[in-house]
Amino acid sequence: MFADGGEASGQSNGSATRSNGSVATASQHATMPGFTNGTHKGALSTNGSLLGDKGSPRTGDQPPSTYFGHNREEVTRILIQALSDMGYQAAAESISRESGFDLESTTVAAFRSAVLTGAWAEAEKLLAGAALTDSRASGGNGLILAAGSDRNVMRFWLRQQKFLELLEQRDTSKALMVLRGELTPLYQDTSKLHFLSSLLMCRSPQDLMIKANWDGARGQSRRQLLSELSRCISPSVMLPEHRLAVLLEQVKQKQIDTCLYHTAASSPSLYSDHMCDRRNFPAEVALELTDLAGEVWQVQFSHDGSMLAACGSRENVMIWDTKTFTLVHALPDHELGVGNIAWSPDDSLIMTCSQDKYARLWDAKTGSLVKKVRKFDEPVSGCVWSSDSASFVLGTLDRNHSLCSFKVHDNECVEWEKKHRVQDLCGSPDGRWLVAVEDTHNIHVYNAHSRELEYHLDLGVRPTSVSISQDSRFLLVNKQDGEAQLINLSTRAAVQKFLGHTGGDYLIRSSFGGANESFVASGSEDGKILIWHKNIGAAVERLAGHTPRCNAVCWNPADPCMLASCGDDGRVKIWSNKHKTAELRSRHPKPANGWRNSVDEV
């Protein structure tokens, strides 16, 4: 199938570090102002100092200043914080007494308490007395700002919270005084001040929370404010939140990033170094499905992994149940074939983007047609769903209607008024980005909310397909020259290249996948399936896929040991490891059911 919508045979085919150390609930945190970034009792007072007025350290030889090369004070304070996070308060206090180190000074604890209890005057007073550099000889009250921190920005954050809480209390006059007398003198961003001013018109606290994207004084807003402020305070006096949990997560991620055949869906154990067995990697053909007939151009698993859809040069789109790979629906009447398919985020609907210049919306459960979107002048090439499954954006090769937004439950159309021939389309899971591939050398990156162009990239060669990682950070681009690129969407920089497959005039699709999205997989003009390690760029598998061409590869998002591929041979292949292959074949219907054989029966 040609990549640019050309008429070769009358057809074209057209997703942060986790901190999870806290045991106390949000409501518990809100009622315990003495807690640290994590948790902490007020009894743990001075920052990193020896016990001072609490008494002398334990007798005997002083312990070395390092622990296996790490600063002993830093390690001890991090352990105290972690024990407090996990609820072992007595143990935390015991270590503090025995070691002579405490988590933070009384000033830092007082600042934390002031923020969490809404004592804004006290918080500002403590902030005013903070030292500007991390030097204990430089004076100050014990609160030390991190290098590059702006005290006025921190004041603005405190006063903004105060302003919002006054509005929540319906004390508009005091809120107005704060806006005019306290916020305005600090901030030069007039658009921000105008936005805050507009909140004075909110009719209710609920209206305020919606418009300000803020959950109120009793929600998490104060704790979120404290988290922001803590980034401006030196970690020597105020540890970053859940520091041990963050460090452990980084260790785990590093091991995952260097595991060549990572297939473990669960988090690695801390007890031993992590390494997955190559025998668990999905490199065996478990099943071949030939219900579709004709060329197969695209395969796509549902988000929950329970269904697989495939489309191609014939009029039907097929949907299988992935437990048994029984055919459950054949979606008919697509003249000239279907170049792309897109599941809604809740998997209740599926959009088919057809070469007959229509897009069709189907009920994925019943297989019934929900609606047929208007006819364009060129084939529909792609679809991006909103996160609530209530609306979608269509991309087409029709230059006059290249990007259009629709709602599921009405026929309203919003034209983006862009003059592209959109060959492929993808959106980020966080709803921020929409990326359109033109039929030249260009990729256009849009703000999905405002529909404004953020930037465009000229790759120097025609891109054929695009997809975005689940963390919404990276764009994967397959190119006509047989190279795939990984691009950081924020910095616009190419961070990895993947080589070894062949490109050409046809649309070859690549995708992210595997456990923790550790891999990139792609079809190839020579029929092979290439799988690379995403972070190091190394090819870990080169599989004999389809003849003469492998058009697409898709990883099951719920099963790191299952791939699907498709090609011009009319086959959809399901790949797994040896153990799971036996399971899949045992559950798959036999030929007597009248439709499909497993690979050992072909």
Side-chain angles (χ1 to χ4, degrees), residues 58 61-68 70-73 101:
R58 61 192 176 114
D61 294 337
Q62 291 293 325
S65 61
T66 62
Y67 172 74
F68 289 94
H70 304 288
N71 181 284
R72 179 174 290 269
E73 178 182 337
F101 298 124

Side-chain angles (χ1 to χ4, degrees), residues 168-219:
E168 184 184 19
Q169 298 163 16
R170 309 303 295 154
D171 196 340
T172 308
S173 59
K174 285 187 179 180
L176 184 59
M177 290 173 61
V178 170
L179 180 64
R180 290 177 175 173
E182 299 182 26
L183 286 167
T184 301
L186 287 176
Y187 215 66
Q188 302 302 315
D189 187 342
T190 54
S191 62
K192 177 68 171 180
L193 292 171
H194 287 162
F195 171 72
L196 292 176
S197 179
S198 71
L199 298 178
L200 291 164
M201 306 303 293
C202 291
R203 297 181 179 182
S204 67
Q206 291 72 27
D207 188 28
L208 169 69
M209 292 178 191
I210 292 171
K211 290 184 177 178
N213 192 26
W214 179 75
D215 66 355
R218 296 184 179 181

Side-chain angles (χ1 to χ4, degrees), residues 268-565:
S269 171
L270 293 171
Y271 288 140
S272 60
D273 291 341
H274 173 77
M275 188 60 65
C276 290
D277 192 327
R278 183 176 182 176
R279 291 174 296 181
N280 294 328
F281 204 73
E284 281 197 24
V285 179
L287 300 171
E288 291 187 9
L289 312 174
T290 60
D291 305 272
L292 205 59
E295 296 177 0
V296 188
W297 295 336
Q298 169 72 306
V299 283
Q300 198 68 257
F301 285 99
S302 59
H303 295 89
D304 65 3
S306 67
M307 292 179 285
L308 174 69
C311 62
S313 60
R314 299 295 177 89
E315 67 170 13
N316 291 329
V317 173
M318 301 299 188
I319 299 178
W320 296 270
D321 159 53
T322 59
K323 185 174 182 180
T324 63
F325 282 94
T326 302
L327 183 66
V328 292
H329 297 303
L331 312 180
D333 302 327
H334 301 87
E335 296 181 19
L336 305 178
V338 175
N340 210 343
I341 46 184
W343 294 91
S344 64
D346 64 4
D347 293 328
S348 65
L349 300 166
I350 186 169
M351 180 68 71
T352 57
C353 304
S354 181
Q355 301 298 294
D356 62 10
K357 305 172 186 178
Y358 286 102
R360 294 171 175 84
L361 184 62
W362 303 84
D363 185 309
K365 185 176 181 180
T366 65
S368 59
L369 181 66
V370 176
K371 69 177 177 180
K372 187 176 180 181
V373 181
R374 78 178 206 202
K375 188 172 186 178
F376 295 90
D377 292 335
E378 296 283 349
V380 182
S381 55
C383 172
V384 169
W385 283 90
S386 64
S387 59
D388 60 3
S389 301
S391 61
F392 52 89
V393 179
L394 293 179
T396 81
L397 291 165
D398 183 346
R399 192 178 298 276
N400 294 318
H401 308 285
S402 59
L403 292 169
C404 303
S405 294
F406 297 88
K407 293 182 180 179
V408 169
H409 299 296
D410 63 41
N411 294 318
E412 180 185 358
C413 172
V414 177
E415 296 275 1
W416 285 42
E417 299 180 351
K418 314 299 180 184
K419 300 296 182 180
H420 315 310
R421 296 188 77 236
V422 176
Q423 180 173 281
D424 197 24
L425 194 66
C426 67
S428 60
D430 66 2
R432 178 182 177 185
W433 308 101
L434 183 139
V435 180
V437 175
E438 202 169 3
D439 64 342
T440 56
H441 298 168
N442 294 319
I443 290 176
H444 303 279
V445 180
Y446 291 96
N447 182 310
H449 299 293
S450 66
R451 302 194 293 276
E452 295 298 321
L453 180 69
E454 295 277 346
Y455 59 89
H456 81 271
L457 298 172
D458 186 344
L459 300 182
V461 66
R462 179 182 292 176
T464 61
S465 67
V466 286
S467 57
I468 296 179
S469 59
Q470 280 299 307
D471 62 10
S472 301
R473 295 175 57 201
F474 298 106
L475 176 70
L476 178 62
V477 184
N478 236 14
K479 300 191 299 175
Q480 194 176 31
D481 61 359
E483 178 184 275
Q485 272 191 5
L486 190 66
I487 297 172
N488 186 306
L489 281 164
S490 296
T491 66
R492 313 178 191 183
V495 296
Q496 193 58 267
K497 293 182 179 180
F498 307 100
L499 303 171
H501 60 315
T502 56
D505 293 330
Y506 295 88
L507 198 160
I508 303 296
R509 296 188 182 277
S510 56
S511 65
F512 297 98
N516 302 89
E517 276 200 341
S518 297
F519 302 98
V520 165
S522 178
S524 180
E525 287 275 358
D526 61 7
K528 304 296 184 184
I529 296 171
L530 273 292
I531 302 175
W532 302 271
H533 195 284
K534 183 179 70 176
N535 291 307
I536 62 179
V540 297
E541 290 289 354
R542 184 182 178 92
L543 308 173
H546 300 265
T547 304
R549 182 179 298 107
C550 178
N551 293 314
V553 185
C554 182
W555 223 295
N556 188 328
D559 185 349
C561 297
M562 182 184 289
L563 285 169
S565 65

Side-chain angles (χ1 to χ4, degrees), residues 138-284:
S138 64
N141 59 9
L143 194 64
I144 302 174
L145 302 186
S149 297
D150 188 327
R151 199 190 309 259
N152 280 337
V153 170
M154 298 173 73
R155 284 194 182 105
F156 184 87
W157 292 344
L158 288 167
R159 294 174 185 181
Q160 179 179 252
Q161 179 75 13
K162 176 182 175 181
F163 169 76
L164 292 172
E165 291 190 13
L166 286 170
L167 287 182
E168 184 184 19
Q169 298 163 16
R170 309 303 295 154
D171 196 340
T172 308
S173 59
K174 285 187 179 180
L176 184 59
M177 290 173 61
V178 170
L179 180 64
R180 290 177 175 173
E182 299 182 26
L183 286 167
T184 301
L186 287 176
Y187 215 66
Q188 302 302 315
D189 187 342
T190 54
S191 62
K192 177 68 171 180
L193 292 171
H194 287 162
F195 171 72
L196 292 176
S197 179
S198 71
L199 298 178
L200 291 164
M201 306 303 293
C202 291
R203 297 181 179 182
S204 67
Q206 291 72 27
D207 188 28
L208 169 69
M209 292 178 191
I210 292 171
K211 290 184 177 178
N213 192 26
W214 179 75
D215 66 355
R218 296 184 179 181
Q220 290 296 299
S221 63
R222 289 181 181 176
R223 183 155 294 280
Q224 290 166 0
L225 170 62
L226 179 63
S227 181
E228 290 294 324
L229 291 167
S230 70
R231 295 186 180 98
C232 300
I233 297 172
S234 170
S236 69
V237 298
M238 192 175 195
L239 285 183
E241 291 181 299
H242 317 304
R243 186 60 183 159
L244 181 61
V246 170
L247 292 172
L248 293 176
E249 188 62 36
Q250 290 173 355
V251 169
K252 287 184 176 183
Q253 191 59 51
K254 181 66 175 178
Q255 294 200 23
I256 289 171
D257 289 345
T258 56
C259 178
L260 276 182
Y261 297 97
H262 184 58
T263 51
S266 58
S267 179
S269 171
L270 293 171
Y271 288 140
S272 60
D273 291 341
H274 173 77
M275 188 60 65
C276 290
D277 192 327
R278 183 176 182 176
R279 291 174 296 181
N280 294 328
F281 204 73
E284 281 197 24

